Amino acid sequence: MTFKSVLFAGTAAIFVGQAAQAQQTEISFINCGANDGVVPEMQNSDIAEWEAQNPDYKVVQEYVPWGQCQEKAITLASAGDPVGLAYLGSRTLPQLSDADLILPIDMSQEEQDSYEPSVLATVQFNGGIWGLPRAFSTKGIFYNKALFEEAGLDMPNGPQTWDEMLEAGKAITENTDAAAFGMPAASFDNTMHAFLNFIYSNGGEVVNSDGEVVFNSPEVVETFQFYKDLAAYSQEGPVAYDRGKLEPLFSEGQIAMIVQSFGYRSRTGDVDYGITWIPKGPSGDHATLLITDSLAVFKGSGVEEAAMSLAKFLTETDRQARFDDIAGWTPIRETDISRALVDKDANWKYYLDSIKAGGPEPQVIDYNALQDVMNEAIQGVILGEVSPEDAAADVADELADLME
């Protein structure tokens, strides 16, 4: 073969390769968060595996900061230019579903049974399933062992009940220079989130399984009263703090207790800490707020079927379990990997055993309005501007209007 024929053959191969690439259909995939660390690396690997099985498609990922990501996905879809797939907070699913911007997820009974019902509830709305859980968070209490000892407290496993939490609050406030509890009460989502942990740990609910608002209950009134009592032992000016601003206070020994996910361990500084579950109230048991982020498949992209295939591929049981483990998240399903976690670190017990009694973020279309209503009530109670009874009644009334 002459040099010219070799050159021609090589050039032809290049053109064939380019033509094959040109024939690939793109699936746009927006991810809320940062494109760094082991989590994106593993997702890239999994996507490459799916692409190898589906050579007609090319997945084009874009990472957008949380502050702008969900709004961008919604704006694109509302303008008729939707992405194929998006990773976003499950709290947005009711809004997207109500606006007819996303597809329901067709799950077999076997697929549904692979999830704890309380976890699946985070993506359910109006009888449908609207997202595939991708990241899962439960909460517990981190406590400073040295401050508990300095306060003279005999609680080797941390506070287990609301009464013990208030007892610890009083002792730490009186016998140390620290505040007892880091209370987030700014006009931010984690103010409502922190409060919901205690509602669920007192047997309360926001919306029941029939979709009825049940916020104005004795259990919720008790929770507001507990929060009011706990505020006396919290950092000064709690309405100025969201959870992010509380983290340095814990690592510097200025607060003795903070509500956090399991992944907070890497950000505690030099504190000798213990971990326990959310203390149980007089009417409940140890529980937690269940928060998921999900994969949502958008309508009108022209690649709906392929995007759904990709979403199910990424969240397949064993693949998702490896993803959870690498990311350090609470496992979405029970698997061999999740069952081994407590052997690796006994503190996982507090984040896993409270799932069954936990509850989801309330599923409402206007999530921001819900958050504002709830936060105003929390702030009003801890500032002494409204009674626990009136706060529960006011939120229930406004929530009922939002549900309508």
Side-chain angles (χ1 to χ4, degrees):
M1 183 180 291
T2 66
F3 174 77
K4 286 186 177 180
S5 62
V6 172
L7 177 62
F8 177 78
T11 305
I14 292 173
F15 283 134
V16 169
Q18 289 176 339
Q21 289 180 353
Q23 292 172 4
Q24 286 184 311
T25 302
E26 290 188 351
I27 301 174
S28 56
F29 182 4
I30 279 186
N31 290 271
C32 293
N35 184 17
D36 55 28
V38 295
V39 174
E41 288 177 7
M42 181 175 180
Q43 180 161 285
N44 292 343
S45 176
D46 288 341
I47 288 175
E49 184 180 347
W50 183 88
E51 288 175 329
Q53 297 175 17
N54 298 270
D56 291 338
Y57 293 95
K58 176 66 178 176
V59 180
V60 180
Q61 296 188 81
E62 179 184 5
Y63 283 80
V64 181
W66 276 100
Q68 300 84 43
C69 178
Q70 295 175 153
E71 182 179 351
K72 178 171 182 176
I74 294 170
T75 300
L76 287 171
S78 300
D81 186 24
V83 297
L85 189 66
Y87 164 68
L88 35 68
S90 299
R91 66 178 70 92
T92 64
L93 297 177
Q95 177 186 357
L96 292 168
S97 167
D98 184 69
D100 197 30
L101 297 176
I102 57 174
L103 291 174
I105 307 297
D106 183 16
M107 273 195 196
S108 68
Q109 191 59 52
E110 182 180 1
E111 286 176 312
Q112 293 184 47
D113 291 344
S114 71
Y115 296 93
E116 183 70 35
S118 55
V119 176
L120 195 60
T122 65
V123 294
Q124 291 175 311
F125 176 70
N126 277 354
I129 300 171
W130 298 96
L132 287 161
R134 183 63 166 157
F136 181 33
S137 171
T138 51
K139 295 294 186 289
I141 295 283
F142 280 66
Y143 62 95
N144 185 314
K145 292 181 179 180
L147 287 173
F148 269 61
E149 182 178 353
E150 184 181 346
L153 291 163
D154 183 20
M155 294 184 187
N157 297 313
Q160 301 298 297
T161 66
W162 286 5
D163 284 344
E164 287 187 357
M165 199 168 180
L166 292 173
E167 177 189 346
K170 185 174 187 295
I172 291 166
T173 301
E174 292 179 352
N175 299 307
T176 77
D177 292 331
F181 179 66
M183 177 175 286
S187 299
F188 206 68
D189 60 0
N190 50 52
T191 289
M192 181 181 75
H193 289 165
F195 187 69
L196 286 170
N197 284 296
F198 292 100
I199 286 181
Y200 292 133
S201 290
N202 196 41
E205 292 182 283
V206 180
V207 179
N208 66 17
S209 58
D210 294 324
E212 301 168 333
V213 177
V214 290
F215 195 80
N216 191 10
S217 67
E219 293 82 7
V220 173
V221 172
E222 284 179 327
T223 308
F224 272 118
Q225 182 61 56
F226 167 69
Y227 233 51
K228 180 178 181 178
D229 296 340
L230 189 60
Y233 306 125
S234 301
Q235 82 282 1
E236 186 176 351
V239 295
Y241 288 86
D242 61 28
R243 189 179 63 211
K245 292 181 179 178
L246 291 171
E247 290 188 3
L249 300 188
F250 185 82
S251 63
E252 294 165 4
Q254 297 183 44
I255 55 176
M257 293 178 279
I258 188 172
V259 175
Q260 279 287 4
S261 61
F262 194 73
Y264 179 59
R265 296 169 303 157
S266 63
R267 305 193 301 276
T268 56
D270 296 327
V271 175
D272 179 17
Y273 65 84
I275 302 177
T276 190
W277 35 34
I278 303 295
K280 60 184 178 181
S283 302
D285 201 352
H286 301 295
T288 178
L289 172 63
L290 309 174
I291 296 181
T292 63
D293 300 322
S294 306
L295 297 179
V297 178
F298 280 76
K299 295 181 68 172
S301 67
V303 291
E304 290 92 337
E305 185 175 347
M308 187 70 74
S309 169
L310 173 60
K312 287 206 169 188
F313 181 88
L314 292 175
T315 56
E316 182 272 328
T317 299
D318 291 339
R319 187 171 291 103
Q320 179 68 49
R322 293 193 297 272
F323 194 70
D324 294 336
D325 191 41
I326 287 175
W329 293 323
T330 303
I332 288 175
R333 299 179 182 93
E334 184 178 356
T335 64
D336 289 343
I337 291 177
S338 70
R339 285 187 284 270
L341 288 176
V342 175
D343 291 335
K344 294 179 181 178
D345 189 326
N347 288 315
W348 266 115
K349 168 185 174 66
Y350 306 116
Y351 291 85
L352 299 176
D353 290 358
S354 57
I355 291 174
K356 287 187 178 180
E361 294 178 278
Q363 300 293 298
V364 298
I365 295 169
D366 193 344
Y367 183 86
N368 288 333
L370 164 69
Q371 179 179 295
D372 291 343
V373 167
M374 192 84 76
N375 286 348
E376 287 175 8
I378 294 167
Q379 291 169 346
V381 167
I382 64 177
L383 293 174
E385 297 172 352
V386 62
S387 70
E389 293 80 7
D390 288 344
D394 290 346
V395 171
D397 288 344
E398 296 199 47
L399 182 55
D401 291 339
L402 289 175
M403 295 291 289
E404 293 176 0

